[in-house]
Every structure is written in C-alpha cells, then in structure tokens.
Amino acid sequence: MSFPLLTVTAAVPAVGAILTAAVPAARRTAAKWLALFFSLATLVLAVLVAVRFEPGGDRYQLTESHAWIKDFGVRYELGVDGIAVVLIALTAVLMPFIILAGWHDADPLENKSQRWRPTQGFFALILMVEAMVVISFEATDVFLFYIFFEAMLIPMYFLIGGFGDRATSSQSAAAAAGGSDENAAAQRSYAAVKFLLYNLAGGLIMLAAVIGLYVVAGNFSLQEITAARAAGTLDMATNTERLLFLGFFFAFAVKAPLWPLHTWLPNAMGEATAPVAVLITAVVDKVGTFAMLRFCLGLFPEASKWATPVILVLALISIVYGALVAVGQRDIKRLVAYASISHFGFIVLGIFAMTSQGQSGATLYMVNHGLSTAALMLVAGFLISRRGSRLIADFGGVQKVAPVLAGTFLIGGLATLSLPGLAPFVSEFLVLVGTFARYPVVGIIATTGIVLAALYTLVLYQRTMTGPVKEEVRTMPDLRLREVLVVAPLIALLIGLGVYPKVLTDIVNPAVKHTMSDVKQTDPKPEVAVEAQDTKKGEAAK
C-alpha cells in the first residue's frame, strides 16, 4: 500500500487545529507558534504533492480509494489533477502568512473579560478551514466533497462573527479605541449569519442534486461517472442533466461568488479581520470556481454548454458591476471585496468560454488572484490597524511617514489591476484571449473591467498614500519585521510568476485538455493564421 500523501496533507492541519485548541489559556503565544508550525508542515506536504505529480501522467494521481458507506455507494476517494495541485499549493502557501498577519488579532482586549480561550480558538479555526479546503480539492467522490464543502462554513462562521475587525468603518472613537461596541458586534453577527445562510441555501440545493445524481448514476464516484459517460453506458435525460447541473452550479455560484448571489461577500470581508478576509476570498471562495471545472463540466458536459450563454452574461455583470461599485466605495475592505467580485467574474468567464486558453487562464487567475488579494488586503489590514478606521477619507500622505508600507500597498494594488510583469496579468490575458476566440463581443465588454480596475486601484492609492499628511497618521509607524515577512514573499511570488508563469502552466494545461475533452470542445481555429498561410502561398507562386 502506497503512502497516503493526500490524506496526510489534509490531516496535518486538522491535527494542528485540535492541538492548538487544547493549549492552556495562559499559553497564547505557544498556541500561535504551534499553529504556524502546522501550517508550515502542511506547506512542505503540499510541495511534496506538487513534486510527485507528473503533468504528463494519468489525469488523477496519488489516488486513494476506500469503502466508506457501502449501502449508498459512498467511498473515501481522493485524487489530484493539475488544477487541484496548484490550488492546494496556493492554500498551503497563504496559510503561514495569514497566521503571521493575524498574530495579534485574537489577543484579549484590556477592557474585556475573556470567558473562553479566543486566541487558541482563532488559530485552531484557521487550521480547520485549511484542512477542509485541502480535502475539498482532493475529493473525487461527490458525496465526500459535499460534506467538506458544507462543513467549512462552520469555522468560517465563527471566524467572521466571533473574531471581527476591531477597526471601524464609522468615526466612532469608542469603537476605534475599544475594539467593538454593541453596534460593531451586531454588524459582525449580521455578516456571519448572512454568510452562513447564503451558503447553506446553496448547499441544500446542491444536496438535492447530489441525491439526484446518485439515483441516475448509482454511485458518487466522479471518475466512474465521467468514464461511463465517455463510454456511452450512462445516458442522462436532457432535462434531468440540466436540473442536476443547476443544483450544483447554484451552490458553486454562491461560494464563488457570482452576481447576483454575491451580496454576502462585502459584509463578510468588511467585518472580518484582514487575515480572515484573505481566507474567505483567496482560499475558501476558490472551492466554488474549482468545483465548476471539476464537477459541473465533468459531470454535466451537455448541460454546461446549454447554460453557457446565461453564465457568460452573469460573469460580465459581475465584472462590470463589481468594478463600478468598487470605484464608489469609501471603506477600504469593502472596495477590495467588490474588486474580488469583478475578478471572480473573469474566472467564471474563462471557465465557460470553453477554450483551453480561457480555462488555463481561469485556473491561473484563481492562483494569482489569491496572491494579489492577499498582498493588498494584508497590507491594508496593517494600515487599518494603525489608524483604527477603514474609511479611505481618514487617511492621506501615508507614503511620507511609512514609505515601505505605501510601496508594498502600491505593488499589491498594481497586481490587482493586472499590471504587465505581475502574475495576474498573465491569467487575465489568457482569459480574454480565450474568450475573444469564441465570443468576441463578450471579450470586448469584459475589457471594461480592466479600465475600471485601474481607476479604483489608483484612486485608492492616491487618497490614502499621497497628498498632505493628515494629523492622525503623522506618527504612523512603518512595517515591522513580522509584517515585512508576511508581505515580501507574496510580492516575490507575484513578480516571479508574472515573469515565468510556465512553472504553473506546465501543470495546469494537461488537466485543462481533459476538461475540454469532457465537454467535447476544441479551440476555434484562428482565422489570422489561415490568412497568413494564404499570403505565403501567393508569394511563393509569384
């Protein structure tokens, strides 16, 4: 029996969560270091998964399969393709930085009595989310995936509602100094409940579709169902396939989030601490877009093509709407949240463009958006914690008193607007090229998102970092060593993957070919190449 590397990769952060939660209340610092250790151990295992994965090999590798609930055909089945490998790596890379960035976010407040162990609970919940996200990327049994797809909502609910941002989006001095007044606590509770209800609604609809899939296919194995469909031994009625597709897609669109199911995200990111906001949009939400590729296209290829026109329209609305609303935001964290809605629109656009460039770009976009959003949001979190306010108007002239903070904030912003030379540019370019190839009008409209991204990013930088130095920020300290250790590696990755994306595309492209084969699509032949060949033939004839 081979070593169960995938199981261990998911189990290590889960064990870390249990041990971190068990640390005595007086040993808060020990709990932090323990959580950091287990996140680094998971990163080592994720690197090992990437090293052992062979891009030119079988579609699903490092597979594990064990009987679980025999009467219902449920198995403990794990396996990774290239898309899952890079997303597991993204998750493992971000977690140590999330933990370091949130090092003091759960420290007890001096004016509050602590009736439980919040510091240990905070870091334990983060590790538990990591474990559930990793196994969601690994699961090839639909029922197994569903369990963890839903279970991750529980720790996220407590992270949003129980460990909210101590800064304020209002000018309340009491909230800014004391951390959380009754109104702030109510806002956090509202954001957490809204997050939970939206995602639970999507999950319940998906559960009905999961049961329907079992009735039709007789099992939950993704590999067996896709193989049976390819061989023609499993024939779903057209209406049945479309209904099942809609059940799955609805849940994934909520998680993604896609317009008009997006409204929970600005509330959740606004009220959560900056590290938890990164956990939401850079890690957890990627499960939704990943599942569109793995389950929607893999299980329901014909229904995916049937729904493509409507989904492309929803993606376009997400791109333009998210960017427009971001332009008008006064709250830094809500601006980043709406920008993320626009970016998720690009990811969905690339997936359903049904071209290899579009789907490769969408996968890279998941990775690069995670890195760029983490860099921007974490630096924004450092900025907000210094001022005690999330309002853009409360800042000004920061670059004169904290140049390193301002510089890293600028690089994170430039990555968000997909500046050439930084990683997000490559993914956004591929998505647009893949979309233009099949849907040129859709591609043209989508480019407006790029223009608006430049607007909201540069205006944000101008209003917070340039101009006269406001009295409240005059004594603002620059980034400390711990904060530099958080941001510097993310910036290095953004530059490195922007200059040399081949390290990811070599892993992703073979998996994308399999997905394109599932939906029986080939890339449109470029007309320009044909015209060029005709010109060469004419010149040769002369």
Side-chain angles (χ1 to χ4, degrees):
M1 179 179 175
S2 60
F3 180 72
L5 181 58
L6 297 185
T7 294
V8 173
T9 304
V12 164
V15 172
I18 296 170
L19 295 179
T20 300
V23 173
R27 305 292 299 275
R28 289 189 298 272
T29 301
K32 298 174 184 179
W33 284 107
L34 189 63
L36 181 61
F37 169 79
F38 275 97
S39 69
L40 291 172
T42 306
L43 175 57
V44 171
L45 291 168
V47 170
L48 186 58
V49 169
V51 169
R52 291 188 58 183
F53 182 81
E54 299 178 6
D58 295 337
R59 180 174 186 176
Y60 295 106
Q61 299 179 32
L62 306 175
T63 56
E64 302 173 33
S65 181
H66 308 283
W68 185 16
I69 309 174
K70 293 183 179 180
D71 292 342
F72 296 100
V74 180
R75 299 185 62 82
Y76 177 80
E77 280 192 352
L78 305 180
V80 290
D81 60 2
I83 298 170
V85 167
V86 297
L87 291 176
I88 291 170
L90 169 69
T91 303
V93 165
L94 289 180
M95 296 312 279
F97 302 127
I98 289 173
I99 290 172
L100 278 173
W103 201 252
H104 298 297
D105 285 355
D107 288 350
L109 299 174
E110 294 180 1
N111 59 339
K112 301 285 185 181
S113 63
Q114 302 298 318
R115 289 180 291 181
W116 67 306
R117 298 176 296 188
T119 303
Q120 290 84 334
F122 179 75
F123 292 102
L125 289 170
I126 289 176
L127 288 175
M128 189 57 68
V129 171
E130 180 180 21
M132 293 178 178
V133 169
V134 168
I135 202 167
S136 296
F137 290 140
E138 296 172 347
T140 57
D141 182 277
V142 177
F143 191 80
L144 179 67
F145 169 83
Y146 172 78
I147 289 175
F148 290 99
F149 180 82
E150 287 292 275
M152 70 180 70
L153 301 179
I154 299 172
M156 287 306 308
Y157 169 80
F158 288 108
L159 284 170
I160 297 168
F163 300 92
D165 197 349
R166 295 178 183 177
T168 176
S169 59
S170 69
Q171 306 236 0
S172 168
S180 57
D181 56 10
E182 291 182 3
N183 183 55
Q187 290 177 345
R188 289 198 302 271
S189 178
Y190 171 78
V193 170
K194 189 173 183 180
F195 161 82
L196 187 64
L197 291 180
Y198 267 67
N199 285 274
L200 278 178
L204 289 174
I205 293 174
M206 180 182 170
L207 177 59
V210 169
I211 295 171
L213 179 67
Y214 175 76
V215 171
V216 173
N219 64 80
F220 294 105
S221 172
L222 174 67
Q223 296 184 64
E224 290 183 17
I225 294 172
T226 52
R229 296 213 62 165
T233 56
L234 174 61
D235 185 21
M236 291 188 193
T238 300
N239 290 336
T240 300
E241 180 178 348
R242 291 176 179 179
L243 287 173
L244 295 178
F245 167 85
L246 291 174
F248 276 76
F249 180 80
F250 182 84
F252 303 152
V254 172
K255 183 85 78 178
L258 187 68
W259 184 92
L261 305 171
H262 67 284
T263 59
W264 63 267
L265 183 66
N267 296 101
M269 289 185 65
E271 298 306 323
T273 62
V276 173
V278 171
L279 187 63
I280 295 168
T281 191
V283 178
V284 171
D285 287 354
K286 297 302 186 300
V287 178
T289 47
F290 163 80
M292 291 180 189
L293 275 168
R294 171 169 281 191
F295 296 104
C296 286
L297 271 59
L299 295 172
F300 317 109
E302 297 304 320
S304 297
K305 289 186 284 187
W306 161 76
T308 289
V310 174
I311 295 173
L312 293 180
V313 171
L314 296 178
L316 282 178
I317 295 174
S318 291
I319 291 169
V320 178
Y321 167 82
L324 281 173
V325 177
V327 171
Q329 288 301 304
R330 296 185 300 169
D331 182 311
I332 296 175
K333 291 168 73 175
R334 289 179 70 90
L335 185 151
V336 178
Y338 279 106
S340 291
I341 292 169
S342 181
H343 294 148
F344 275 105
F346 276 107
I347 296 172
V348 176
L349 185 69
I351 293 171
F352 285 89
M354 299 295 182
T355 59
S356 58
Q357 299 98 327
Q359 293 184 358
S360 294
T363 304
L364 292 183
Y365 215 127
M366 294 184 221
V367 176
N368 296 333
H369 170 262
L371 296 173
S372 62
T373 298
L376 180 61
M377 179 59 84
L378 292 179
V379 177
F382 299 147
L383 178 69
I384 291 167
S385 65
R386 284 159 165 76
R387 177 66 177 85
S389 172
R390 306 198 304 258
L391 285 177
I392 296 172
D394 286 345
F395 297 89
V398 174
Q399 67 179 12
K400 296 178 183 178
V401 298
V404 177
L405 188 155
T408 53
F409 190 80
L410 178 61
I411 296 174
L414 293 176
T416 298
L417 62 82
S418 299
L419 183 76
L422 297 176
F425 169 77
V426 179
S427 46
E428 194 162 271
F429 178 78
L430 284 174
V431 166
L432 289 174
V433 167
T435 304
F436 272 116
R438 198 178 294 277
Y439 305 103
V441 175
V442 174
I444 291 170
I445 298 173
T447 55
T448 59
I450 302 175
V451 178
L452 293 171
L455 180 61
Y456 62 67
T457 300
L458 297 178
V459 168
L460 172 64
Y461 183 83
Q462 178 192 29
R463 292 177 178 175
T464 55
M465 301 296 165
T466 66
V469 179
K470 290 205 170 186
E471 190 62 33
E472 295 83 358
V473 304
R474 193 171 296 279
T475 58
M476 181 177 289
D478 212 336
L479 291 185
R480 303 177 179 89
L481 177 60
R482 173 180 60 85
E483 296 166 335
V484 172
L485 291 176
V486 170
V487 180
L490 294 174
I491 292 176
L493 284 171
L494 287 170
I495 295 172
L497 294 176
V499 174
Y500 192 73
K502 189 173 182 292
V503 66
L504 294 182
T505 55
D506 284 350
I507 299 175
V508 168
N509 287 341
V512 167
K513 289 181 180 179
H514 287 295
T515 304
M516 291 286 289
S517 177
D518 287 340
V519 293
K520 297 181 173 60
Q521 291 279 28
T522 57
D523 291 328
K525 294 182 179 179
E527 297 179 4
V528 175
V530 175
E531 293 175 359
Q533 290 177 359
D534 292 341
T535 302
K536 289 180 180 179
K537 289 179 180 178
E539 291 175 353
K542 291 179 181 179

